[in-house]
């Protein structure tokens, strides 16, 4: 993670932004005899803005690879013709079955697709339109199955693109084909369409102006959300450190440091009082510290992964050691914060730093070979495209990241919401996770480039090629016990990818698989209905067991995994002690302001 080279002087003349742009790492360093390369980068950055940061070349290449391999596969083409014929016959039978002798339609939506839940879709002619769409979706799923010689990532991208195109023409998107919209229009006399048009105009203005709307009433930051009492006890240009007020005179001796992801704001772990992990830990007798990252601007484009490690996690540990003296720390990392915590822990192990009593990784990956559908957006062409966009503006902006996540589940996150809001005229009802999800952040250019290249694309951390301060680190050096949580339906950090932490470490490790997705599976507070989990302990040095075998061997336990985690933390501690003071008196520390601080409020 070396610092980048100085910028060429010519960039200042060519740059389209008034802000100086950092030199981002490149696979091939440009030669000195290409003085106009910045014109190319500025042009690509302009295209990236129009395409939402998606490289056209990457997807054209995938189509080309798929089409050429299909063209030389007459057997597969025959199979596709037969599959199309079979689907057409099923639709014909459905259309001519006037007596409805078959209770079950031939095609069913995917388990996560809620667009056809309205009972009107089971009546004629809407059922035929729905089934025609699902038949086309079924055929394209079959057509984009892997072909011999076809790169798997190109097969996946082709399937993803066909799904996106089909979603655009789904009958649920058209008012005259959707029975729910027709019913609502007749019921309201068309006022739903007027309300929807107003919603569309509001959303268009918000997108065009990039306006940051305040939180709705009842979901104010610091009052209703992120409201666990505490103080900001340290601040630098990268983060604020929050120390939460104890709820008892005696606390566990080892404090807890939580390292959240900086792709979103920290209060996903301190939402409403009833589902706040922070509030739960404090109530269980822990002294809890939380890193609240700043929302970077173009002026901070040069922040690197090493800055987040050294000026972030390590600086927080140093500060905690001045407040809770002579005690180890339970370190907790969530999502990208967990990846950074793993890097930090491996570096500390290499340096003989034993300040970590335990390490908890929540929905965090250390190996990115199976990192899920986000890999659809990542190859050399795509990353270079994003780098040029960040080179021009200094960061990856909120909408550019949000679109990528939304496209992965476009049926629900894009089209279902659009129909509900623009055609049914219904307001989005606020709820705590929804408010947090809309409160997005920016990613500094250099850090995000290093993250995408070094971790996602090149998978250096588990390949023995990730260097900190010029020396390679190894996860197997970590001796502190680990508690690792994956979630069953996580499409950001798939649980089998999270599970691979066991493959690259030798320490004492407990793995939990929780019901839910990337956020819901972590926010699994006691009393949450219909929650379950699996849990197993791996002693230090034990043989590796694969994820599917592990899954078969573990029984399902009802309820929340939080109490099990608290018991585990207590077992790795050294007892209790009087609650420490809030902050210290040294310069830059002490009680700076009330939680949640200032950085979480940055737009």
């Amino acid at each position: 993670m070396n610092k980048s080279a100085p910028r060429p002087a010519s960039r200042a003349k060519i740059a389209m932004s008034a802000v100086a742009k950092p030199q981002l790492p490149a696979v091939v360093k440009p030669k000195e005899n290409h003085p106009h390369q910045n014109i190319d980068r500025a042009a690509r950055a302009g295209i990236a803005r129009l395409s939402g940061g998606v490289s056209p070349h990457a997807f054209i290449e995938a189509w080309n690879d798929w089409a050429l391999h299909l063209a030389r596969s007459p057997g597969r083409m025959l199979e596709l013709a037969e599959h199309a014929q079979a689907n057409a016959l099923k639709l014909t039978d459905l259309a001519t079955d006037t007596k409805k002798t078959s209770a079950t339609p031939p095609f069913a939506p995917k388990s996560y697709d809620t667009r056809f839940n309205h009972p009107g879709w089971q009546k004629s002619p809407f059922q035929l339109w729905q089934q025609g769409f699902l038949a086309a979706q079924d055929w394209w799923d079959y057509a984009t199955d892997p072909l011999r010689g076809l790169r798997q990532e190109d097969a996946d991208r082709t399937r993803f693109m066909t799904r996106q195109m089909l979603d655009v023409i789904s009958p649920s998107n058209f008012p005259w084909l959707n029975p729910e919209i027709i019913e609502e229009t007749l019921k309201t006399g068309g006022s739903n369409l007027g309300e929807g048009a107003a919603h569309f105009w509001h959303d268009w203005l918000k997108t065009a102006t990039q306006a940051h709307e305040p939180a709705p009433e009842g979901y104010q930051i610091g009052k209703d959300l992120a409201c666990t009492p505490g103080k900001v006890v340290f601040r630098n240009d990268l983060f604020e450190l929050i120390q939460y007020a104890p709820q008892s005179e005696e606390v566990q001796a080892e404090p807890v440091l939580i390292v959240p992801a900086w792709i979103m704001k920290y209060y996903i772990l301190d939402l409403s009082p009833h589902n706040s992990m922070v509030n739960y830990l404090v109530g269980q007798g822990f002294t809890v510290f939380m890193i609240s990252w700043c929302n970077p601007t173009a002026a901070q484009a040069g922040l690197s992964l090493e800055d987040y490690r050294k000026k972030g996690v390590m600086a927080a540990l140093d500060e905690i050691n001045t407040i809770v003296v002579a005690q180890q720390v339970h370190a907790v990392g969530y999502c990208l914060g967990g990846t950074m915590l793993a890097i930090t822990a491996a570096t500390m192990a290499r340096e003989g730093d034993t300040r970590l009593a335990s390490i908890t990784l929540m929905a965090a990956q250390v190996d990115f070979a199976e990192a899920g559908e986000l890999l659809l957006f990542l190859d050399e062409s795509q990353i270079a495209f994003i780098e040029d966009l960040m080179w021009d503006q200094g960061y990856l902006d909120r909408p550019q990241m949000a679109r990528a996540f939304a496209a992965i589940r476009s049926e629900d996150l894009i089209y279902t919401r659009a129909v509900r809001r623009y055609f049914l005229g219904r307001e989005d009802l606020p709820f705590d996770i929804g408010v947090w999800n809309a409160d997005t952040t920016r990613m500094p250019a250099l850090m995000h480039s290093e993250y995408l290249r070094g971790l996602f694309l090149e998978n250096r951390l588990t390949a023995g090629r990730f260097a900190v301060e010029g020396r390679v680190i190894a996860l197997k050096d970590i001796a502190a016990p680990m508690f690792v949580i994956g979630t069953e339906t996580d499409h950001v950090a798939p649980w089998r990818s999270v599970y691979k932490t066991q493959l690259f470490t030798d320490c004492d490790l407990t793995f939990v698989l929780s019901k839910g997705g990337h956020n819901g599976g972590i926010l699994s507070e006691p009393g949450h209905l219909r929650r379950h989990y699996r849990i197993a302990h791996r002693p230090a040095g034990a043989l590796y067991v694969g994820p599917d075998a592990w899954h078969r061997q573990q029984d399902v336990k009802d309820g929340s995994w939080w109490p099990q985690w608290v018991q585990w933390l207590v077992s790795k501690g050294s007892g209790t002690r009087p609650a420490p003071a809030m902050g210290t008196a040294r310069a830059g520390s002490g009680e700076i302001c009330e939680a949640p601080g200032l950085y979480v409020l940055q737009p």
Side-chain angles (χ1 to χ4, degrees), residues 436-451:
W436 166 82
N437 197 53
D439 194 9
T440 52
T441 60
R442 296 173 288 271
M443 301 286 271
L446 181 56
M447 182 287 304
H448 201 49
S449 175
E450 292 174 336
Y451 174 57

Side-chain angles (χ1 to χ4, degrees), residues 378-409:
L378 295 176
D379 62 8
E380 177 57 42
S381 172
Q382 181 62 59
I383 291 178
F385 206 61
I386 294 174
E387 285 176 344
D388 289 339
L389 176 61
M390 296 189 297
W391 168 87
D392 187 63
Q393 62 189 22
Y395 47 77
L396 189 66
D397 207 355
R398 291 183 287 248
Q400 291 146 0
M401 287 187 292
R403 277 191 287 263
F405 286 107
I408 293 174
R409 288 290 180 266

